[in-house]
Amino acid sequence: MSRVKAAVFASGTGSNFQAMLEERDLACEIVLLVCDRPGAAVIEKAKQNRIPVYTFEPKRYATKEAYEKEILTVLQQAGISWIFLAGYMRIIGPCLLHAYQGKIVNIHPSLLPAFPGKDAIKQAFNTRAEKTGVTVHFIDEGIDTGPIIAQQVVDIYPSDTIDLLTKRIQKVEHQLYPSVIKQLIQNEGDL
Ligand code: GAR
């Protein structure tokens, strides 16, 4: 039986992407990376792991729809059935949302609905909250909205620095995201 095929979308460092690749039992195959920033470090990680990279620069397209249509063509040609966003700092538009309804998942470094958007770790740290965390959720048309699949709390200690907190959050992300992906694909197979 051929494995379920997934694409990862990322804009930055790619530590979550790397964590997915290192998970031996992800239950799906990551067949390509979509990146919107030509210089992003995640591209090098993909190359080292022999994962094809498709870089699409939004500024080269007249509209978001044109940008997403071109991405959609690549995804459909590759037989992709799931999209996992891993630090992809763009709102998914109607074109991809409709084509992959209920099949686009995101990870966010806070306990949503608290601290959506950019710099979520800094936002939580600066409000002196006692807890923050990680959320994995389905994508809808909003910014870090959409039905929540899993959350994990991360404590903020009085002695914390942004760096220490970021490292603890990332550690949780790197375990939570692959395990949620595996669960989603297995549940789908059981239907
Ligand atoms: C991760 O912390 C992810 O949760 C966050 O970007 C980081 C990407 O790190 N995503 C968001 O803030 C989405 N709103 P990575 O490139 O090392 O995986």
Side-chain angles (χ1 to χ4, degrees):
M1 209 173 71
S2 68
R3 295 228 292 169
V4 171
K5 291 180 178 167
V8 173
F9 286 27
S11 309
T13 312
S15 68
N16 280 285
F17 171 64
Q18 184 75 43
M20 288 175 206
L21 297 178
E22 284 172 10
E23 171 61 57
R24 269 198 252 146
D25 191 17
L26 196 63
C28 63
E29 187 186 353
I30 300 205
V31 295
L32 62 91
L33 172 77
V34 169
C35 185
D36 60 332
R37 292 191 191 155
V42 68
I43 293 174
E44 201 42 51
K45 290 191 169 71
K47 285 183 179 161
Q48 281 165 8
N49 287 279
R50 296 199 165 82
I51 306 282
V53 181
Y54 293 86
T55 308
F56 297 93
E57 274 190 276
K59 68 176 184 206
R60 293 184 186 275
Y61 299 85
T63 61
K64 184 168 194 132
E65 196 189 359
Y67 165 72
E68 289 201 341
K69 265 189 177 163
E70 207 154 304
I71 296 177
L72 184 58
T73 303
V74 167
L75 300 181
Q76 288 175 334
Q77 278 171 358
I80 299 296
S81 49
W82 285 87
I83 298 172
F84 301 122
L85 309 184
Y88 180 68
M89 300 315 242
R90 242 162 236 292
I91 296 173
I92 299 289
C95 173
L96 287 172
L97 265 181
H98 290 150
Y100 283 92
Q101 219 161 16
K103 297 290 188 119
I104 311 180
V105 178
N106 183 41
I107 188 157
H108 183 77
S110 77
L111 294 176
L112 290 171
F115 311 121
K118 283 185 188 161
D119 297 326
I121 301 175
K122 210 195 240 172
Q123 289 184 57
F125 186 79
N126 288 344
T127 61
R128 301 180 190 278
E130 286 180 3
K131 290 178 193 308
T132 183
V134 174
T135 302
V136 180
H137 65 100
F138 289 110
I139 282 292
D140 65 9
E141 54 288 329
I143 300 175
D144 300 319
T145 52
I148 290 171
I149 305 166
Q151 289 188 305
Q152 197 166 318
V153 172
V154 175
D155 289 324
I156 305 178
Y157 305 126
S159 58
D160 254 338
T161 61
I162 275 279
D163 280 358
L164 286 172
L165 179 60
T166 301
K167 284 200 178 94
R168 283 207 314 286
I169 287 182
Q170 284 175 339
K171 199 171 169 201
V172 170
E173 288 193 324
H174 299 163
Q175 287 166 353
L176 186 67
Y177 208 3
S179 78
V180 169
I181 290 172
K182 181 178 170 181
Q183 203 67 54
L184 283 170
I185 308 273
Q186 286 179 342
N187 289 349
E188 181 185 46
D190 291 343
L191 289 178

